[in-house]
Amino acid sequence: MRYINASAVLPEELVEKLQEFVQGEYLYIPAIKNQHRSWGELSGARQEINKRNHEILKAYILGASVEELSESFHLSTYAIRKIIYQK
């Protein structure tokens, strides 16, 4: 999350009104519900994890053991099992 100076994006009157309540502090303004993005959606991290999980599942189906996958992907055997057995 990055911070934006309110003065740079809000009208001066609104900044002055906000300063009546908060000065020199960070203020979180939540996204509108239908515009909220899931974790990793903007950075592409979610897509990378899904790709990795697909590779793990494919390797398992082709005969790789949980232990082999754990070493190859640097994950615990518990994490590998969660990926393999997820619904």
Side-chain angles (χ1 to χ4, degrees), residues 34-46:
N34 64 354
Q35 293 180 355
H36 179 76
R37 294 194 171 102
S38 299
W39 173 88
E41 189 176 343
L42 289 177
S43 68
R46 171 71 64 195

Side-chain angles (χ1 to χ4, degrees), residues 38-84:
S38 299
W39 173 88
E41 189 176 343
L42 289 177
S43 68
R46 171 71 64 195
Q47 187 177 7
E48 288 296 317
I49 289 173
N50 288 340
K51 180 181 173 188
R52 180 206 65 191
N53 291 353
H54 180 74
E55 290 175 15
I56 290 170
L57 185 57
K58 183 178 175 183
Y60 180 75
I61 290 170
L62 293 175
S65 71
V66 171
E67 290 75 17
E68 290 170 334
L69 293 169
S70 175
E71 288 182 29
S72 295
F73 289 91
H74 307 286
L75 295 170
S76 69
T77 55
Y78 175 77
I80 296 293
R81 284 188 185 98
K82 278 180 57 176
I83 293 166
I84 291 169

